[in-house]
């Protein structure tokens, strides 16, 4: 198995991928020891999973400070489809890396990924006020530019120092100490199929709807009335239709469970387009209890038992055996 990821080596993406235990990776991909292939961009990693040059891809999808990663969100709704089979939550800690012998007074330019720059903006302004900030495709690419002499410093993962022969000028430079980036492991639909329900799962989808008053409310109502806990909603514009949007939705539950299955079927009826992006185990959230975090108690009539009994009762009415 070949797994593409946002490279080069030393990115947070690679770090996230390497946190998956072999048994978890083996369950998700069918191979506990896949080969890892860094690519220059999120788009390239997703394209590799689509065209068969990789069997899967690991990409960042959301940051707790900056929100969704646009390139990943746009890439997930492209064709042919990809599905998420695992998510990884990685606490993000940034360092400023420089060539040996460089001091703060020597730094005239500093490079980072846009999300890295956004999470360290105040620190850079205070400690490197005269430095020009340059944006790169990844934090590790910024480190590579420092090693090549193209910029003076990089804001990136500490592990990149070993890859590029750099040293730490400063550590822990993030403005928010509890930032977490969410990564997803995606592959084309097909064998070995979706991860089985664990009781602590997440389902991701994207939907578009007609532009009329109450259209989005109707979509959200279909989710709410089934007791599905919606954990994320974010929009991205459709590239070929001005004023229309993809709505990216994450909810607690698995497509194999009645509530989530009914919600997806309802959205298929109501929306102009629905993309199922996967049902997969929820990653641990720092500070939460248990591997899937805390689950909200289901409301009245929202348990699997309630759905099963309601379906049996309806079947008896249709067959004329119940009342």
């Amino acid at each position: 198995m070949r797994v593409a990821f946002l490279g080069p080596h030393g990115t947070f993406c690679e770090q996230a991928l390497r946190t998956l235990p072999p048994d978890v990776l083996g369950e998700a991909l069918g191979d506990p020891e896949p080969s890892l292939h860094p690519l220059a961009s999120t788009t390239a990693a997703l394209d590799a999973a689509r065209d068969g040059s990789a069997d899967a891809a690991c990409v960042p999808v959301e940051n707790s400070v900056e929100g969704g990663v646009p390139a990943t969100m746009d890439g997930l709704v492209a064709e042919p489809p990809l599905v998420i089979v695992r998510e990884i939550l990685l606490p993000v800690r940034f360092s400023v890396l420089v060539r040996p012998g460089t001091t703060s007074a020597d730094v005239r330019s500093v490079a980072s990924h846009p999300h890295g720059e956004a999470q360290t903006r105040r620190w850079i302004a205070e400690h490197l006020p005269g430095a020009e900030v340059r944006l790169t495709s990844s934090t590790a690419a910024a480190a590579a530019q420092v090693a090549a002499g193209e910029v003076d410093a990089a804001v990136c993962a500490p592990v990149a120092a070993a890859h590029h022969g750099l040293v730490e000028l400063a550590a822990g430079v993030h403005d928010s100490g509890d930032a977490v980036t969410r990564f997803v492991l995606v592959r084309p639909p097909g064998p070995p199929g979706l991860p089985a329900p664990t009781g602590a799962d997440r389902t991701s989808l994207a939907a578009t709807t007609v532009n009329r008053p109450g259209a989005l409310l109707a979509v959200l109502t279909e989710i709410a009335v089934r007791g599905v806990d919606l954990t994320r909603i974010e929009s991205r514009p459709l590239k070929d239709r001005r004023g229309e949007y993809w709505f990216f939705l994450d909810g607690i539950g698995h497509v194999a469970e009645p509530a989530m299955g009914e919600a997806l079927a309802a959205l298929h009826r109501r929306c102009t387009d629905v993309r199922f992006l996967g049902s997969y185990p929820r990653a641990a959230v720092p500070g939460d209890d248990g591997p899937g975090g805390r689950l909200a108690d289901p409301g009245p009539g929202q348990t699997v038992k309630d759905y099963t009994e309601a379906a049996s009762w309806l079947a008896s009415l249709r067959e004329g055996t119940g009342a």
Side-chain angles (χ1 to χ4, degrees), residues 92-110:
V92 176
R93 301 292 181 265
F94 291 101
S95 291
V96 176
L97 302 186
V98 297
R99 294 181 294 277
T102 301
T103 67
S104 297
D106 300 324
V107 176
R108 294 290 179 265
S109 56
V110 57

Side-chain angles (χ1 to χ4, degrees), residues 207-209 235-238 241-248 272:
T208 63
T209 186
S235 65
R236 289 286 298 162
L238 271 72
R241 296 203 292 273
R242 187 174 65 86
E244 297 187 40
Y245 297 86
W246 282 108
F247 294 99
F248 290 82
T272 54

Side-chain angles (χ1 to χ4, degrees), residues 154-165:
V155 174
C156 56
V159 69
H163 287 288
H164 298 285

Side-chain angles (χ1 to χ4, degrees), residues 115-300:
H115 275 208
E117 184 275 334
Q119 294 173 70
T120 58
R121 191 172 293 151
R122 291 191 183 93
W123 190 95
I124 293 172
E126 180 180 349
H127 295 89
L128 301 172
E132 174 194 358
V133 178
R134 302 179 188 177
L135 301 181
T136 58
S137 59
S138 70
T139 55
Q145 289 184 5
V146 175
E150 298 171 7
V151 294
D152 298 320
V155 174
C156 56
V159 69
H163 287 288
H164 298 285
L166 304 177
V167 296
E168 268 190 343
L169 181 66
V173 301
H174 35 274
D175 298 332
S176 175
D178 56 357
V180 175
T181 296
R182 179 179 168 218
F183 297 85
V184 290
L185 187 63
V186 303
R187 58 172 174 75
L194 293 175
T198 66
D201 303 293
R202 192 186 316 276
T203 292
S204 295
L205 62 103
T208 63
T209 186
V210 293
N211 186 9
R212 66 165 62 112
L216 179 57
L217 175 60
V219 170
L220 298 180
T221 299
E222 295 289 359
I223 296 172
V225 298
R226 291 170 175 83
V228 173
D229 182 6
L230 193 64
T231 59
R232 174 175 174 248
I233 178 170
E234 197 163 347
S235 65
R236 289 286 298 162
L238 271 72
K239 304 306 181 186
D240 56 349
R241 296 203 292 273
R242 187 174 65 86
E244 297 187 40
Y245 297 86
W246 282 108
F247 294 99
F248 290 82
L249 308 171
D250 288 346
I252 300 302
H254 194 285
V255 67
E257 297 169 344
M260 184 62 75
E262 284 192 13
L264 286 171
L267 296 191
H268 188 270
R269 294 194 305 269
R270 281 192 175 273
C271 297
T272 54
D273 196 1
V274 176
R275 304 288 181 88
F276 172 69
L277 301 180
S279 289
Y280 46 91
R282 291 191 297 138
V285 179
D288 275 3
D289 298 327
R294 298 185 181 94
L295 283 172
D297 293 332

